[in-house]
């Protein structure tokens, strides 16, 4: 009962923030927040928006299979954010963009523009729906199942709440609500860590020393270049992951483009990028402490790392003395999932209206599209639940990760060459590149025993770039 009250109270706070933040609900507020957002609020809120509910559950469990080597990727993130701040943001601000894919139209032509926008729309819809599906499953298990609420109603309720507080203000609302949600997320995380430390009968100093001396705290891997956890592979992949999944992603860039000036946007990007290392260090440290608690209590460590934190929250490691722990867990999950899903739905609405329909000022269209995107989001989540296949979800995540490569290739070709490309071949190249990339990955594993990790993104982008170069021409497509 207290969990339901907490979720409702949380929603009403979001609604209150939304009403205070947005006094004039027009397209300029929805798409660009009037370019008046304080950079420090955008930076702080973006940390929470980048941490989904899946991250909240999965990252602590990573220590079981990869120790703390994920921090190598996070260090690469910093390089990626610097590249965005000083290479991409100047271009976006110079062109005064609402959607970043407009750049592709101005530089490479209409076919490149539409191809980039559609790749984003499909990838973001499927990827965001999968993430939110996992969160809805957790909420069903912890909250709604005991109340006899069907899964469909659970999903419809959660997405409806997001629609209610974003339908008028869009990105203007998100700048303020994400700040509040980031506070809630980290408050919940820190309190859960504190409760684990108490359960271990540690002081905070003891906890720090226990984490530092634990074998699961191994960070740097330089010994085996074939390993997916090899430092340079993870570090460089981290940089490219950020460039593509932040710098070339309308979802992640839309709020950054609401800052008043380019310099403020660059300060936002750099500070936000550096914050990822300590943020993920907290999640991984929680994972190490949970492993120690499982061992101390003689409880078998789960085969799936995703079960590490939920088992503790459900009282399967030590008996619960109050409902505070499940309440904190649900609060953290809701804060992380809302701040991730609301920005995804807003950016999908923006991209469809601006890129596909090319109607910046049609408020009626924007309202209809926003509602339609939310309903489609519900449909995807319910479909995943109906199919109920873990292997299918893993496959969808893999497919989505492949689809960002063509965006990397398109933007790289536009930024680093002065060439143009035959418009009829752009969709062919962008669709073919992920399939060729998959074939190379399978062949490398079979013939060389080489296992691709995050570097698949770089290979995919390179293949797209080469394909575009082979279809190059020296005359702009819009002059022929």
């Amino acid at each position: 009962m207290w969990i339901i009250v907490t979720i409702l109270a949380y929603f009403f706070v979001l609604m209150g923030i939304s009403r205070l933040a947005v006094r004039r609900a027009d397209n300029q507020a929805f798409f660009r927040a009037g370019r008046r957002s304080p950079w420090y609020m955008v930076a702080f809120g973006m940390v929470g928006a980048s941490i989904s509910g899946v991250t909240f559950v999965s990252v602590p469990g990573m220590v079981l299979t990869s120790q703390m080597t994920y921090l190598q990727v996070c260090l690469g993130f910093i390089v990626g954010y610097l590249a965005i701040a000083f290479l991409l943001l100047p271009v976006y601000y110079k062109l005064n963009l609402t959607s970043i894919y407009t750049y592709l139209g101005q530089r490479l032509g209409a076919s490149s523009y539409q191809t980039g926008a559609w790749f984003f729309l499909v990838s973001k819809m499927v990827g965001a729906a999968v993430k939110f599906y996992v969160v809805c499953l957790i909420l069903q298990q912890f909250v709604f199942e005991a109340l006899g609420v069907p899964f469909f109603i659970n999903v419809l309720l959660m997405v409806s709440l997001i629609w209610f507080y974003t339908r008028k203000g869009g990105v203007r609302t998100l700048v303020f609500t994400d700040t509040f949600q980031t506070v809630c997320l980290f408050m919940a995380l820190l309190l859960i860590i504190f409760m684990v430390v108490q359960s271990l009968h540690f002081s905070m100093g003891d906890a720090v020393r226990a984490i530092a001396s634990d074998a699961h705290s191994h960070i740097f891997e330089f010994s085996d270049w074939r390993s997916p956890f090899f430092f340079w592979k993870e570090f460089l992949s981290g940089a490219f992951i950020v460039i593509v999944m932040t710098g070339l992603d309308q979802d992640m860039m839309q709020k950054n483009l609401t800052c008043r000036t380019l310099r403020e946007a660059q300060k936002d990007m750099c500070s936000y990028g550096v914050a990822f290392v300590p943020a993920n260090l907290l999640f991984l440290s929680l994972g190490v402490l949970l492993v120690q608690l499982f061992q101390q209590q003689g409880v078998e460590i789960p085969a799936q790392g995703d079960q590490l934190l939920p088992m503790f929250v459900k009282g399967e490691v030590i008996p619960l003395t109050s409902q505070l722990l499940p309440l904190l867990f649900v609060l953290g999950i809701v804060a992380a999932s809302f701040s991730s899903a609301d920005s995804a739905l807003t950016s999908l609405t923006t991209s469809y209206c601006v890129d596909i329909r090319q109607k910046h000022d049609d408020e009626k269209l924007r309202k209809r599209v926003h509602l339609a995107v939310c309903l489609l989001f519900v449909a995807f989540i319910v479909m995943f639940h109906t199919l109920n296949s873990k292997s299918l979800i893993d496959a969808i995540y893999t497919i989505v990760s492949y689809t960002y490569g063509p965006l990397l290739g398109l933007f790289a070709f536009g930024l680093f060459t002065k060439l143009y490309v035959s418009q009829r071949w752009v969709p062919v190249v962008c669709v073919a590149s992920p399939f060729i990339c998959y074939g190379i990955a399978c062949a490398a594993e079979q013939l060389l025993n080489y296992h691709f990790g995050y570097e698949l993104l770089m290979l995919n982008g390179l293949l797209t770039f080469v394909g575009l170069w082979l279809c190059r021409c020296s005359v702009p497509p819009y002059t022929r």
Side-chain angles (χ1 to χ4, degrees):
M1 182 61 187
W2 281 110
I3 292 178
I4 297 293
V5 171
T6 301
I7 292 175
L8 290 175
Y10 184 82
F11 166 69
F12 283 117
V13 172
L14 291 178
M15 283 297 298
I17 294 172
S18 173
R19 288 185 175 277
L20 291 173
V22 180
R23 291 180 172 83
R24 184 183 174 188
D26 56 14
N27 280 12
Q28 281 300 309
F30 192 95
F31 295 151
R32 301 175 59 166
R35 282 252 167 111
R36 297 193 304 271
S37 301
W39 70 266
Y40 47 87
M41 288 188 67
V42 176
F44 186 70
M46 284 294 293
V47 176
S50 301
I51 298 173
S52 68
V54 176
T55 303
F56 198 92
V57 175
S58 296
V59 173
M62 282 184 173
V63 299
L64 294 178
T65 55
S66 57
Q67 293 85 47
M68 284 192 176
T69 56
Y70 182 60
L71 287 178
Q72 297 177 135
V73 180
C74 296
L75 290 172
F77 286 174
I78 297 174
V79 176
Y81 284 116
L82 290 174
I84 295 169
F86 297 103
L87 290 178
L88 293 176
L89 279 176
V91 174
Y92 298 157
Y93 268 81
K94 180 180 179 181
L95 298 175
N96 194 29
L97 300 182
T98 298
S99 168
I100 62 174
Y101 306 114
T102 308
Y103 165 76
L104 295 176
Q106 296 181 12
R107 172 65 181 84
L108 297 175
S111 181
S112 301
Y113 179 23
Q114 294 290 304
T115 300
W118 275 112
F119 262 86
F120 164 73
L121 285 168
V122 174
S123 301
K124 181 57 65 175
M125 173 59 76
V126 176
V130 171
K131 290 179 181 178
F132 206 70
Y133 163 66
V134 176
V135 171
C136 288
L137 280 180
I138 294 171
L139 291 175
Q140 186 73 18
Q141 180 182 3
F142 275 86
V143 182
F144 295 108
E145 200 168 85
L147 299 174
V149 177
F151 183 78
F152 170 75
I153 301 300
N154 165 10
V155 176
L156 190 62
L157 174 63
M158 292 297 105
V159 177
S160 297
L161 295 182
I162 294 173
W163 176 77
F164 267 113
Y165 73 82
T166 59
R167 63 192 177 94
K168 289 186 177 181
V171 71
R172 175 67 177 170
T173 298
L174 299 186
V175 170
F176 292 91
T177 57
D178 280 359
T179 300
F180 168 71
Q181 294 188 117
T182 302
V183 170
C184 292
L185 189 158
F186 282 105
M187 180 185 72
L189 174 62
L190 290 172
L191 288 173
I192 290 173
I193 291 174
F194 177 73
M195 295 177 79
V196 175
V197 170
Q198 278 195 322
S199 300
L200 285 164
H201 305 293
F202 285 168
S203 66
M204 292 308 296
D206 293 334
V208 171
R209 287 187 288 272
I211 293 168
S213 61
D214 196 287
H216 292 93
S217 296
H218 174 69
I219 298 174
F220 299 105
E221 177 57 59
F222 290 101
S223 59
D224 182 8
W225 67 272
R226 298 190 183 198
S227 167
F229 309 121
F230 183 62
F231 175 80
W232 289 110
K233 288 166 67 174
E234 296 224 305
F235 181 80
L236 292 174
S237 297
F240 278 91
I241 285 170
V242 161
I243 291 171
V244 173
M245 295 189 174
T246 299
L248 308 183
D249 187 303
Q250 176 67 20
D251 176 16
M252 302 305 294
M253 291 307 297
Q254 190 164 355
K255 279 173 280 191
N256 290 279
L257 293 175
T258 67
C259 293
R260 295 182 180 92
T261 64
L262 170 61
R263 184 164 181 79
E264 287 196 359
Q266 288 173 326
K267 288 193 291 185
D268 149 42
M269 186 60 62
C270 292
S271 55
Y272 154 54
V274 171
F276 256 89
V277 175
N280 282 286
L281 179 59
L282 284 175
F283 281 106
L284 292 167
S285 297
L286 172 60
V288 173
L289 291 172
L290 285 170
V291 170
Q292 293 184 3
L293 182 62
F294 273 70
Q295 292 171 341
Q296 184 189 87
Q297 297 296 319
V299 178
E300 183 179 357
I301 294 174
Q304 297 291 329
D306 290 358
Q307 293 300 314
L308 201 64
L309 181 55
M311 283 181 66
F312 172 67
V313 172
K314 287 189 289 186
E316 296 180 18
V317 184
I318 56 173
L320 297 179
T321 57
S322 72
Q323 287 299 305
L324 179 60
L325 182 58
L327 191 150
L328 289 172
F329 178 68
V330 170
L331 178 62
I333 289 289
V334 170
S337 59
F338 272 35
S339 61
S340 177
D342 57 18
S343 61
L345 295 174
T346 301
S347 64
L348 287 165
T349 302
T350 301
S351 185
Y352 185 82
C353 291
V354 175
D355 299 324
I356 306 302
R357 296 295 299 274
Q358 298 186 8
K359 294 184 177 180
H360 298 66
D361 302 320
D362 191 333
E363 289 189 32
K364 290 183 178 179
L365 174 67
R366 184 255 299 172
K367 292 176 182 178
R368 291 197 303 269
V369 170
H370 189 220
L371 179 59
V373 165
C374 290
L375 293 174
L376 188 61
F377 197 62
V378 172
F380 267 92
I381 296 169
V382 173
M383 180 187 71
F384 296 148
H385 185 65
T386 303
L387 296 171
N388 196 27
S389 171
K390 180 67 165 60
S391 59
L392 175 66
I393 300 303
D394 291 340
I396 289 172
Y397 266 131
T398 302
I399 292 169
V400 168
S401 67
Y402 274 103
T403 57
Y404 278 95
L407 287 173
L408 175 60
L410 278 168
F411 274 88
F413 191 86
L415 290 168
F416 298 115
T417 76
K418 295 183 179 180
L419 299 170
Y420 300 94
V421 63
S422 176
Q423 292 301 285
R424 64 177 178 175
W425 287 105
V426 172
V428 176
V429 169
C430 291
V431 171
S433 293
F435 287 99
I436 297 172
C437 187
Y438 177 75
I440 293 173
C442 292
E445 186 173 344
Q446 292 293 326
L447 300 176
L448 304 174
N449 196 30
Y450 180 86
H451 299 275
F452 274 93
Y454 296 125
E455 70 271 21
L456 271 173
L457 181 62
M458 292 183 282
L459 174 62
N460 199 349
L462 177 63
L463 289 171
T464 304
F465 185 95
V466 171
L468 295 173
W469 185 81
L470 291 174
C471 303
R472 68 193 182 279
C473 58
S474 57
V475 181
Y478 36 80
T479 62
R480 288 180 288 167

